[in-house]
Amino acid sequence: MLLASLPLVMLSACGSDDTDDDPTDALSPEDVSQTVEFMATEYEFGADASTTIVAGEVVRFRLTNVGELDHEMRVLDENGQLIDQIERLVPGASGDVLL
């Protein structure tokens, strides 16, 4: 799967839809195969579209807020259900999510 298709399942939004039975809770930094870095500016996310993710890999998605406003990132499945999210980041801050 090419990373270029990933932005189709990502949104920037406010609020929280956390669930208690999240399978990503068991992932640890030692499980990570690669890190994909996103930069958030006002109304735009940027990432390297040439990144390839192999099914079954654990990937760290790192969001860095290079804008002037707070930003956050939600990762949704193909049905629009929340998989995980990076909570609100102030300008200059970074956050990670493992999937």
Side-chain angles (χ1 to χ4, degrees):
M1 178 173 109
L2 238 73
L3 182 61
S5 66
L6 190 60
L8 296 176
V9 297
M10 295 184 148
L11 296 175
S12 174
C14 296
S16 176
D17 296 322
D18 290 336
T19 60
D20 293 332
D21 55 349
D22 185 355
T24 62
D25 288 342
L27 298 176
S28 72
E30 292 79 31
D31 299 323
V32 172
S33 301
Q34 65 175 308
T35 298
V36 177
E37 298 201 28
F38 288 87
M39 301 297 197
T41 61
E42 282 60 56
Y43 314 107
E44 182 177 63
F45 286 100
D48 182 358
S50 67
T51 301
T52 301
I53 299 170
V54 177
E57 279 187 320
V58 175
V59 178
R60 173 186 294 116
F61 293 96
R62 175 168 290 141
L63 178 65
T64 301
N65 183 354
V66 296
E68 296 180 12
L69 302 174
D70 291 355
H71 293 286
E72 60 186 32
M73 183 174 77
R74 291 184 172 191
V75 181
L76 308 175
D77 68 13
E78 63 275 3
N79 298 314
Q81 298 298 308
L82 181 68
I83 297 172
D84 211 336
Q85 66 183 3
I86 297 173
E87 297 289 338
R88 188 171 306 240
L89 299 172
V90 298
S94 295
D96 294 345
V97 64
L98 304 181
L99 299 173

